[in-house]
Amino acid sequence: MRILFVGPFSGFTSYPVVCKGLVQALTSAGFELDIADTTWDGSPDHTAPTLMGDDRSIRFLDRKEVVELVQKGERKDGNGGICVAVNPSHHMMSIKEKGYKLAGMFVGDVDTIPGSWQTLMEKQDVILTPSSWGEHVIRKAGIEKDVLVCNHGVSPIFQPDPSIARSAYSVIFFHACSAIYYPERKGTPQLLEAFSKLAGVQDNARLRLFLGGKTKPIQKMLRALDKSVLEKMEIYFREGAREPAEICHDYQTNHVGIFPSRAEGMGMMPIEMRVCGMPVIQTMCTGHADHLDPSLRPRSWGIETIQHGEMTDAWGSFGKAPMVQSDWIYDAMLNFLTFRDMITEAAQSKADVVRQMWSWEETTAPLVDWIRSAAK
């Protein structure tokens, strides 16, 4: 069976990783794919062939074919069938109108869906979302379409490596603010406030920050910190995409990951660290919160009205987003320091189980089942 797959294979968000993982899982399930590699606005791109390599079960649509598909829903070899879209937008409706059964992904940062998006989602045959939070947002909007929760999978390259030496410091808390998102969405201000408090009572803890993209807001926050706190921090600014092997190595030089996100639809970095056998401190609004050690969960997320400019820029001045408070993060960090050995041992013992549960084959199983059923 051939499937039409539409999505962005370039950029520094999670989406290229998601596209690659989904394509590999679908071909492993026995499907053949026609790939329309597009940018966010539906323009043709050319990254997919390089990213996916040589696979005889995949055919890449050329630039002219992508334009015809996006603008008119037309394909020279006939219309209709199954379409999986990682970044469905209004240009996808031309495809739907030509008889395709459409499975489109939705990632929700706030608890309200803009009206134009809701109209689009209601025309899909099934909605994919990477987290229980996303499903909550969809149902809250009154959308009654079938929803498949397909968590972000993880590459087999992420494995525990006993040969990697941890930092000489007693405990390193690792936090990364992904390249395209603003720090407020990742809970970075609350983390810095919590670590400032922790640094005053714990001399053996350090905070390592990996930052990229829009760094000016973070630099302003760092300048406001006391010098004694900055002396207990290591700060790295990274630009561009990095190889998975390099990322895996960086993870394992630390002792615990910390991701107090307000908006983390995919949850890519936390799950990668978990399959490397590392404990993760994480809020409950993300894609993989269910696998966390209960002792490392900051209190269950509440919600608050959007107030920060970076959130309103992305979503408009409406709705509410998951909230996080510095005291929650401080309590979780202190709890790790108190029960470090027990928590670390538990994380290491569960790494193989987590890897199996969040392999791309497992996380995409609901989508594979839907495709086979829809094709009958």
Side-chain angles (χ1 to χ4, degrees):
M1 181 196 310
R2 296 203 71 87
I3 299 170
L4 175 62
F5 186 94
V6 183
F9 286 80
S10 62
F12 300 126
T13 67
S14 300
Y15 285 94
V17 180
V18 171
C19 286
K20 183 176 181 179
L22 284 173
V23 166
Q24 290 176 335
L26 291 173
T27 55
S28 295
F31 300 119
E32 296 180 322
L33 271 62
D34 291 337
I35 294 181
D37 185 1
T38 70
T39 61
W40 283 91
D41 63 0
S43 301
D45 201 4
H46 56 276
T47 308
T50 302
L51 187 65
M52 298 309 308
D54 185 21
D55 186 332
R56 293 184 179 181
S57 63
I58 298 174
R59 186 176 78 87
F60 301 100
L61 276 62
D62 62 32
R63 179 175 292 270
K64 183 178 179 180
E65 288 179 296
V66 173
V67 171
E68 287 289 304
L69 179 71
V70 169
Q71 294 182 355
K72 303 177 183 178
E74 295 287 352
R75 297 191 61 198
K76 63 183 181 182
D77 55 352
N79 299 311
I82 305 293
C83 176
V84 177
V86 170
N87 182 36
S89 55
H90 288 283
H91 65 262
M92 295 300 301
M93 286 304 96
S94 59
I95 296 173
K96 173 64 179 171
E97 291 166 1
K98 294 296 181 178
Y100 282 94
K101 293 182 179 179
L102 176 60
M105 181 170 287
F106 167 79
V107 180
D109 286 354
V110 300
D111 75 337
T112 305
I113 301 174
S116 57
W117 282 33
Q118 186 163 337
T119 300
L120 172 68
M121 292 165 67
E122 288 174 341
K123 292 182 179 179
Q124 295 175 193
D125 294 278
V126 68
I127 302 170
L128 311 178
T129 187
S131 69
S132 55
W133 169 260
E135 184 177 23
H136 159 76
V137 174
I138 293 167
R139 295 306 184 209
K140 180 177 178 292
I143 297 173
E144 297 181 355
K145 290 288 183 178
D146 288 340
V147 176
L148 302 179
V149 177
C150 297
N151 292 132
H152 190 296
V154 66
S155 167
I157 199 169
F158 291 95
Q159 301 268 352
D161 186 347
S163 69
I164 297 178
R166 306 289 185 193
S167 168
Y169 292 116
S170 295
V171 174
I172 287 283
F173 292 95
F174 171 92
H175 173 71
C177 185
S178 59
I180 202 67
Y181 289 119
Y182 292 85
E184 183 61 45
R185 300 171 82 174
K186 301 302 177 186
T188 307
Q190 293 84 359
L191 170 59
L192 293 178
E193 185 177 343
F195 184 75
S196 295
K197 182 178 178 181
L198 187 75
V201 298
Q202 293 284 338
D203 191 53
N204 64 340
R206 298 292 185 272
L207 176 63
R208 182 174 287 163
L209 298 179
F210 279 72
L211 308 170
K214 302 175 184 292
T215 59
K216 285 186 178 180
I218 305 174
Q219 291 172 336
K220 182 178 180 181
M221 296 173 195
L222 294 174
R223 287 194 295 269
L225 296 178
D226 188 271
K227 182 180 178 181
S228 62
V229 176
L230 289 171
E231 289 174 348
K232 295 183 177 182
M233 294 173 59
E234 299 176 25
I235 304 164
Y236 302 88
F237 290 97
R238 297 287 178 88
E239 293 295 334
R242 301 169 61 219
E243 291 298 320
E246 182 185 3
I247 298 171
C248 183
H249 182 275
D250 280 350
Y251 286 159
Q252 295 183 75
T253 60
N254 303 282
H255 298 93
V256 57
I258 181 163
F259 298 92
S261 300
R262 299 181 65 210
E264 183 78 59
M266 297 295 183
M268 179 172 67
M269 288 183 286
I271 195 63
E272 289 173 349
M273 295 188 77
R274 285 293 282 116
V275 300
C276 289
M278 298 184 64
V280 178
I281 296 172
Q282 182 182 338
T283 41
M284 292 296 292
C285 61
T286 67
H288 299 91
D290 292 344
H291 73 80
L292 292 176
D293 184 320
S295 62
L296 293 188
R297 295 175 184 166
R299 300 172 209 175
S300 297
W301 48 264
I303 56 175
E304 62 181 352
T305 302
I306 300 173
Q307 297 175 339
H308 303 281
E310 63 191 56
M311 296 290 283
T312 56
D313 287 348
W315 292 96
S317 55
F318 62 88
K320 298 177 183 294
M323 64 183 290
V324 62
Q325 295 181 4
S326 61
D327 285 348
W328 303 354
I329 304 170
Y330 172 80
D331 290 344
M333 297 170 80
L334 195 61
N335 192 63
F336 176 79
L337 290 170
T338 304
F339 301 103
R340 171 188 169 186
D341 291 343
M342 180 179 67
I343 292 172
T344 300
E345 182 179 349
Q348 292 172 346
S349 68
K350 295 175 182 176
D352 288 340
V353 175
V354 175
R355 185 179 301 104
Q356 293 172 11
M357 293 174 63
W358 274 275
S359 68
W360 278 108
E361 288 74 15
E362 285 293 322
T363 62
T364 57
L367 174 60
V368 170
D369 290 343
W370 176 83
I371 292 172
R372 288 178 174 152
S373 176
K376 292 179 180 179

